[in-house]
């Protein structure tokens, strides 16, 4: 894809000057879903799929954007003086937001740029194509203009931009995974203080398989923000009876002892998920370190059930993908991954069962939904950077 963006760049903008290339990955989260805005833990990894860019700085304040995934939009021309979010701006709201966020954080972007991007993460699949575009933009700006900013800061700027420019109140997981990914490792991140450690996920006899339901996660924006509010409301009520800063501060016992403080049963279920899921994540990482992949898989299954029943962010298609996976011997665990309401499941499958898994789940899914799923046997890659 690097060659493709470079070729397109030359075609559109000419080949003179210093044209540079960049990459930022998408992510898959193994466990710890909807915990990252509740002070909990997450366990994502960067994919080798992601978004590529070719870029060159300009002398004036013009910005020219082109996406090979949205060729119908052609070259979108705007300027550093027009950094506002609008429906008409489509995908360019993400890079524009990051340029704006750099300014807000005290890193003025001094000049415009020409950029071509291309991604191989299916849009709306819940594998963080938007976070990868945000982090990619950060990497481009840092390199083109020599701005001193760390990978973690790039992740935070991406999140800040998505929250305040695009209006999606996401947590830090996706941008962090895209910026900080490490080949063959997942990132065990405590979202309360951003401490993290890497854990090897190069499994001896098993592979990580993503199944794309091909149902786009369209509700994710509005419903996501509702879930956040419900958790915040539950937290406020719990804080009247127990001294905590986030839901992640509670273990299962403490939650059960105090849950009656949350008056609304729906809010109580949301908080239950946040607390239990955080505890499952801690247990899962411990199990992985002890090489107990079976225990890890069971926790993944429990995560799906909780997202389906207590957090209510799954959808019939993802439930079918998970259920069909659970039936197959050699599947150690399977769950929805990402924000929900469509998108993908992630499964740990014994290596020699991978083909059978794809065949059996794919057939059953198509029979039950009329939709063809797509499968990716994934490799875990590096975080964002210059190519
Ligand atoms: C989306 C958000 C993340 C995270 C997940 C759910 O991907 O962008 O911050 O909250 O949903 O775990």
């Amino acid at each position: 894809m690097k060659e493709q963006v470079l070729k397109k760049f030359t075609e559109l903008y000419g080949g003179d000057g210093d044209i540079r290339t960049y990459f930022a990955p998408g992510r898959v989260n193994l466990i710890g879903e909807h915990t990252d805005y509740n002070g909990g833990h997450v366990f994502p990894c960067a994919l080798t799929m992601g978004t590529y860019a070719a870029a060159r700085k300009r002398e004036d304040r013009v910005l020219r954007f082109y996406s090979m995934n949205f060729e119908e939009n052609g070259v979108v021309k705007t300027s550093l003086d027009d950094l506002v979010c609008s429906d008409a701006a489509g995908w360019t709201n993400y890079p524009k937001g990051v340029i704006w966020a750099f300014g807000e954080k005290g890193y003025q972007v001094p000049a415009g740029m020409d950029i071509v991007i291309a991604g191989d993460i299916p849009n709306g699949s819940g594998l963080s194509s938007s976070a990868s575009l945000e982090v990619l933009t950060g990497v481009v700006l840092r390199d083109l203009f020599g701005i001193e900013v760390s990978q973690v800061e790039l992740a935070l700027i991406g999140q800040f931009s998505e929250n305040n420019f695009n209006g999606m109140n996401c947590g830090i997981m996706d941008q962090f995974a895209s910026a900080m990914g490490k080949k063959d490792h997942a990132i065990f991140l405590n979202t309360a203080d951003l401490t993290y450690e890497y854990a090897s996920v190069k499994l001896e006899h098993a592979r990580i398989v993503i199944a794309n339901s091909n149902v786009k996660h369209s509700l994710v924006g509005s419903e996501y923000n509702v879930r956040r509010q419900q958790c915040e409301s539950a937290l406020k009520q719990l804080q009247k009876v127990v001294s905590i800063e986030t839901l992640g501060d509670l273990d299962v016992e403490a939650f059960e002892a105090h849950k009656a403080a949350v008056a609304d049963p729906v809010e109580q279920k949301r908080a239950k998920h946040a607390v239990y899921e955080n505890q499952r994540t801690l247990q899962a990482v411990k199990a992985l370190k002890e090489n107990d992949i079976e225990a890890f898989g069971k926790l993944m299954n429990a995560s799906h059930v909780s997202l389906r029943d207590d957090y209510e962010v799954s959808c019939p298609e993802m439930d079918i993908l998970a259920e069909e996976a659970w039936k197959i011997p050699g599947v150690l665990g399977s769950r929805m991954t990402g924000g929900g309401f469509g998108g993908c499941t992630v499964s740990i499958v014994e290596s020699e069962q991978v083909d059978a898994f794809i065949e059996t789940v794919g057939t059953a899914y198509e029979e039950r939904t009329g939709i063809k799923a797509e499968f990716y046997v994934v490799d875990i890659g590096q975080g964002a950077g210059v190519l």
Side-chain angles (χ1 to χ4, degrees), residues 27 32-34 36-37 168 170-174 224 338-339:
R27 64 96 188 92
E33 214 66 82
H34 288 279
D36 69 343
Y37 48 88
M168 157 85 176
C170 64
I172 188 63
M173 170 170 74
D174 305 347
Y224 187 94

Side-chain angles (χ1 to χ4, degrees), residues 15-58:
D16 49 325
D18 190 6
I19 307 162
R20 304 193 185 182
T21 51
Y22 309 87
F23 172 74
R27 64 96 188 92
V28 63
N29 187 24
L30 298 180
I31 194 160
E33 214 66 82
H34 288 279
T35 50
D36 69 343
Y37 48 88
N38 285 309
H41 294 75
V42 292
F43 197 48
C45 26
L47 297 170
T48 49
M49 292 188 275
T51 315
Y52 294 76
R56 182 177 60 202
K57 68 177 168 192
R58 299 176 57 98

Side-chain angles (χ1 to χ4, degrees), residues 213-225:
S213 67
N214 275 323
V215 175
K216 294 210 170 180
H217 64 169
S218 51
L219 264 176
V220 75
S222 53
E223 283 296 319
Y224 187 94
N225 291 348

Side-chain angles (χ1 to χ4, degrees), residues 54-68:
R56 182 177 60 202
K57 68 177 168 192
R58 299 176 57 98
E59 300 300 323
D60 56 14
R61 294 179 65 75
V62 170
L63 297 163
R64 287 195 293 178
F65 296 113
Y66 185 87
S67 167
M68 295 176 74

